[in-house]
Amino acid sequence: MDLFVINGGKKLSGETTISGSKNAALPVLFATLLTKERCEIKNVPELRDVQSTYELLNYLGKNCFYGYGTFVTGEHSALNPVAPYELVRKMRASILAAGPLTARFGHARFSLPGGCTIGVRPIDIHLDGFRQLGIEISHEKGDVVMTARKLHPAHIKLRFPSVGATENLMMTASLIEGETILENCAREPEIEDIAAVLVRMGASVEGAGTSIIRICGATELKGFTHTVMPDRIETGTFILLCAAAGGKIKLSGADPRPLSALIRAVRKAGVKVYCGRDSITVDAEVSRPKPVNIVTKPHPGFPTDLQAPWMAFMSQCAGECEVHEKIFENRFMHVPELMRMEANITVSDRKAIIHGVPGLVGAPVMASDLRAGAALVVAAAAARGTSVIRRIYHIDRGYEKLEMKLRDLGVDVRRRKDDGTVK
Ligand code: EPZ
């Protein structure tokens, strides 16, 4: 296992380029299951989750090539629509294979994805929608078995705007003739990315990015070429990195439009953010930020995936502020680690109160999940002294070439093997 050693407390400067979005790329990779034709996806980040998807798609029978940011799929023989536990457990997004496989082959069997540190993460909204499209669902030995005798379009109202359920149902409905209406859908920008792909494949999709999406499916879908959108969460993490450590940085290939809630909050805290068409410049004084309260919400609200890095930034605020986590029930695992770095935070249920401290201090800490790990990187870059961040395999799931990009921005970071010695 690797770890990061970060010598913090230095002002940032420089420029780096934003990668393709993990959370947009994954559903597009699973959409390739809807067709036997060749699909080519560009700007795919080199990440562990993409590697896990590659392994799962290959296991299912797709012929995949993945390298240099491009992912190509095709088929030489019939697929086997069974996704085993060993592959599904590596990544919750594997559930996105279920809809496309059942829509195409009439049946699928996949291992139930487990919970994870940020919450239980049930899949009832996916399954409820599938049932309404004519899919029968049963459970056998920890697997979900899906059978569709006759798929039909439906008017489905999601009980919560789940990102994954919206994507899964959009993909499934794209292979069902007639109009399916999804109500109370997720409005995240990644939904628009997958909608563009489904349209290229031959489905009609209207309303992506709003809470009502109408899909008219086709009996067969075509191959496609697609370029994945920039990663808004990676962009937001770098904005918060500079906001916390101070200095001036430029993020090229970044799209500021899906980040308006974050940019508003960061500006309110006193940091200057300049938005170009495809770049963002952050200019942060070293003085302490003003306290700003946030509540995480579905898009266009403040993204839950930036809540942990936001807390790393706010931990040095001049006063007190609140953070409400409304999406996941257990997404404050970074708090004890930030407190090792001398942050002062109290948590009660889904609310945290940050009592700002004049500065963070480097310490040995541990990443518990992807974004909690990102928060520790932000905190370590801002802190005086050396921090050692362990279990960075979580961070490698979602940040491409992170230490290279951090160095572009002036962070003193090294990746080391964790040989168990105390550093
Ligand atoms: C996506 O997860 C992202 N993952 C997550 O990013 C992100 O945090 C999340 O959306 C919210 O924005 C990918 O896109 C691969 P949800 P997803 O279904 O689709 C509950 C990261 O760090 N729910 O919108 O799984 C669920 O438990 C990851 O990159 C149900 O109750 O999220 C949660 O509380 C982490 N039943 C809430 O809804 C369901 O059937 C939102 O989940 C589905 C979800």
Side-chain angles (χ1 to χ4, degrees):
M1 275 196 286
D2 291 355
L3 51 75
F4 279 150
V5 180
I6 296 182
N7 293 310
K10 296 176 184 65
K11 266 191 173 187
L12 305 192
S13 64
E15 179 173 344
T16 199
T17 304
I18 296 304
S19 296
S21 159
K22 164 178 86 77
N23 290 349
L26 297 179
V28 173
L29 298 181
F30 285 113
T32 66
L33 290 168
L34 291 163
T35 179
K36 60 178 186 306
E37 292 186 13
R38 182 180 189 278
C39 305
E40 183 172 342
I41 305 132
K42 297 175 185 163
N43 203 27
V44 179
E46 279 181 37
L47 298 169
R48 257 192 46 211
D49 277 10
V50 173
Q51 184 59 33
S52 303
T53 308
Y54 171 88
E55 284 164 23
L56 178 55
L57 290 177
N58 269 320
Y59 180 90
L60 295 169
K62 293 294 271 190
N63 279 94
C64 304
F65 162 84
Y66 171 41
Y68 311 105
T70 298
F71 203 110
V72 180
T73 66
E75 278 175 30
H76 296 326
S77 50
L79 300 193
N80 166 32
V82 178
Y85 177 71
E86 272 319 302
L87 292 174
V88 170
R89 75 178 174 87
K90 291 189 186 166
M91 191 187 51
R92 290 191 52 82
S94 317
I95 174 77
L96 295 177
L101 286 174
T102 314
R104 193 160 152 217
F105 301 103
H107 62 101
R109 179 176 182 133
F110 61 96
S111 189
L112 204 58
C116 64
T117 51
I118 63 175
V120 179
R121 304 185 76 181
I123 55 165
D124 59 302
I125 305 173
H126 300 243
L127 299 185
D128 208 54
F130 289 151
R131 281 192 195 95
Q132 293 185 59
L133 293 170
I135 299 174
E136 281 168 31
I137 292 164
S138 59
H139 297 266
E140 272 177 39
K141 299 180 183 163
D143 288 355
V144 177
V145 181
M146 311 218 309
T147 317
R149 263 179 261 291
K150 177 92 186 89
L151 288 164
H152 52 76
H155 186 145
I156 302 167
K157 185 160 185 204
L158 279 64
R159 77 165 169 78
F160 181 86
S162 153
V163 176
T166 302
E167 293 164 344
N168 227 341
L169 297 173
M170 284 169 75
M171 291 193 278
T172 312
S174 294
L175 262 182
I176 301 176
E177 274 187 297
E179 185 181 63
T180 290
I181 300 175
L182 303 179
E183 228 184 288
N184 196 29
C185 305
R187 291 185 283 160
E188 270 65 5
E190 292 77 15
I191 302 289
E192 293 177 57
D193 227 40
I194 184 72
V197 165
L198 296 173
V199 168
R200 253 171 242 151
M201 295 181 87
S204 152
V205 182
E206 283 174 14
T210 73
S211 54
I212 299 183
I213 301 179
R214 293 167 189 274
I215 303 127
C216 281
T219 43
E220 272 193 24
L221 293 171
K222 301 183 290 227
F224 62 89
T225 301
H226 177 71
T227 302
V228 174
M229 62 182 273
D231 196 313
R232 66 190 169 102
I233 305 301
E234 184 198 26
T235 309
T237 304
F238 285 131
I239 291 175
L240 291 167
L241 177 85
C242 182
K248 186 171 178 181
I249 63 164
K250 183 172 176 191
L251 304 172
S252 48
D255 184 355
R257 289 168 302 175
L259 281 165
S260 50
L262 172 78
I263 292 173
R264 241 190 338 268
V266 170
R267 283 181 175 150
K268 221 167 147 188
V271 174
K272 297 190 187 86
V273 182
Y274 304 103
C275 300
R277 209 173 50 84
D278 62 356
S279 70
I280 298 177
T281 300
V282 188
D283 188 354
E285 302 279 332
V286 195
S287 66
R288 292 169 68 186
K290 295 185 197 118
V292 178
N293 298 333
I294 59 136
V295 181
T296 64
K297 289 191 186 145
H299 193 76
F302 193 100
T304 173
D305 291 343
L306 290 173
Q307 177 262 104
W310 170 265
M311 283 183 74
F313 165 48
M314 268 297 119
S315 59
Q316 302 181 95
C317 73
E320 218 172 77
C321 64
E322 291 181 3
V323 172
H324 280 239
E325 173 53 58
K326 296 264 193 175
I327 307 294
F328 290 106
E329 67 272 23
N330 189 27
R331 214 172 194 182
F332 283 133
M333 301 284 282
H334 44 287
V335 169
E337 304 304 303
L338 290 176
M339 288 177 70
R340 282 175 191 277
M341 303 175 78
E342 300 195 3
N344 182 359
I345 302 168
T346 44
V347 175
S348 156
D349 194 23
R350 288 188 176 205
K351 186 166 106 177
I353 300 177
I354 303 173
H355 316 274
V357 293
L360 297 172
V361 179
V365 288
M366 199 179 278
S368 55
D369 66 79
L370 167 57
R371 308 302 172 187
L376 299 178
V377 170
V378 169
R384 260 184 301 116
T386 303
S387 297
V388 177
I389 307 176
R390 289 198 157 78
R391 300 208 179 161
I392 59 168
Y393 58 85
H394 287 296
I395 308 178
D396 290 337
R397 282 188 44 219
Y399 291 89
E400 189 184 40
K401 302 187 178 93
L402 181 60
E403 61 269 38
M404 197 188 88
K405 294 188 183 193
L406 289 171
R407 275 191 221 112
D408 286 344
L409 301 175
V411 178
D412 177 355
V413 55
R414 275 161 298 148
R415 181 185 283 263
R416 287 273 163 81
K417 284 269 165 256
D418 186 357
D419 58 7
T421 54
V422 181
K423 293 210 165 60

